[in-house]
Amino acid sequence: MAVRSKWQSLPTEAINPSTLAIDKLPADEVIELMINEDRKMLAAVQKEKARIAMGADLIASALRKGGRIMFVGAGTSGRLGVLESAEMPPTFSTDPLLVQAIMAGGKGAILRAKEGVEDNYEEGARSITRLRPTKKDIVIGVSASGMTQFVRGALTRARKAGARIIFVTCDPGTELQTFVDLTIAPGVGPEIIAGSTRLKAGTATKLVLNMLTTT
């Protein structure tokens, strides 16, 4: 009997019926198709506006109390956290230690994909422990699928340390929202290329993170 993959039921991994013939389309039609899908993505982010504002307030409160912001992610989600962290000092003249990012697979995974590192729950826990989170801090977990074990390990350990948790995902049905302080989950739906979450999910995530850090 065929074994059903845990990924098959995830909205970020589903087949998009609108793009089944994408490999047969001319370039201008591919671009038009992508623009149409991104319109859906923007609508999904718009629906999360109130939660994004709540997240910005949580971050502002933490900063006023001397807390830090820590992003945790893998793959595209991790790189987006790294980008936000890196841009804070030149944009706002913040101390580099105020906003930090943890990437599954370490610095080497920023430039070159490392397969399997996202599935290491224990390494996620160890990685956040090195930053010594406290109850003053905000940890922002970023996972398009909502299932990344590296992120779950980090958030679980940060929670035990008393840190506040914001979870940014593109799966509104993720079970992880049961133990975080706030879930921001734009339901962008299936990608034009199944599972390629660097596309709509990545763009939606970048928008959300931009709003959180800028506000």
Side-chain angles (χ1 to χ4, degrees):
M1 188 175 78
V3 178
R4 183 175 174 80
S5 167
K6 63 182 180 180
W7 299 97
Q8 285 178 286
S9 60
L10 297 177
T12 55
E13 311 302 311
I15 300 296
N16 190 331
S18 300
T19 62
L20 290 175
I22 190 171
D23 58 317
K24 299 179 177 67
L25 298 177
D28 62 332
E29 291 187 29
V30 173
I31 292 165
E32 183 65 26
L33 191 155
M34 293 183 74
I35 290 171
N36 288 336
E37 289 295 313
D38 281 341
R39 287 194 183 100
K40 300 175 187 177
M41 176 274 300
L42 283 171
V45 173
Q46 175 76 20
K47 289 179 180 178
E48 293 296 289
K49 183 173 66 173
R51 289 179 175 273
I52 297 168
M54 289 172 61
D57 284 337
L58 283 174
I59 292 169
S61 177
L63 292 175
R64 290 190 192 103
K65 296 173 183 177
R68 299 167 294 169
I69 305 170
M70 304 173 191
F71 293 97
V72 183
T76 296
S77 296
R79 293 182 189 97
L80 291 172
V82 170
L83 180 58
E84 288 300 314
S85 173
E87 289 293 341
M88 292 304 99
T91 303
F92 299 114
S93 300
T94 56
D95 187 306
L97 298 180
L98 185 67
V99 184
Q100 301 185 52
I102 295 172
M103 173 81 184
K107 292 181 180 179
I110 296 173
L111 297 177
R112 187 181 297 272
K114 289 187 178 181
E115 296 299 324
V117 294
E118 71 276 6
D119 297 324
N120 196 326
Y121 180 98
E122 292 76 16
E123 185 55 32
R126 285 192 291 269
S127 294
I128 198 73
T129 299
R130 295 184 192 110
L131 296 185
R132 298 181 179 178
T134 72
K135 62 182 181 181
K136 292 182 178 181
D137 299 324
I138 290 273
V139 177
I140 304 174
V142 188
S143 170
S145 70
M147 289 186 64
T148 310
Q149 290 302 306
F150 180 91
V151 175
R152 288 185 176 218
L155 297 187
T156 301
R157 184 63 58 87
R159 188 63 154 181
K160 288 180 180 177
R164 304 296 295 274
I165 309 293
I166 297 174
F167 188 49
V168 180
T169 180
C170 289
D171 179 12
T174 177
E175 75 215 26
L176 201 57
Q177 61 189 323
T178 59
F179 85 93
V180 304
D181 294 286
L182 176 68
T183 299
I184 301 170
V188 300
E191 300 288 1
I192 64 162
I193 300 172
S196 186
T197 52
R198 66 188 177 82
L199 299 171
K200 283 192 299 185
T203 304
T205 298
K206 183 68 169 72
L207 288 171
V208 170
L209 299 187
N210 280 170
M211 294 172 193
L212 290 174
T213 56
T214 301
T215 307

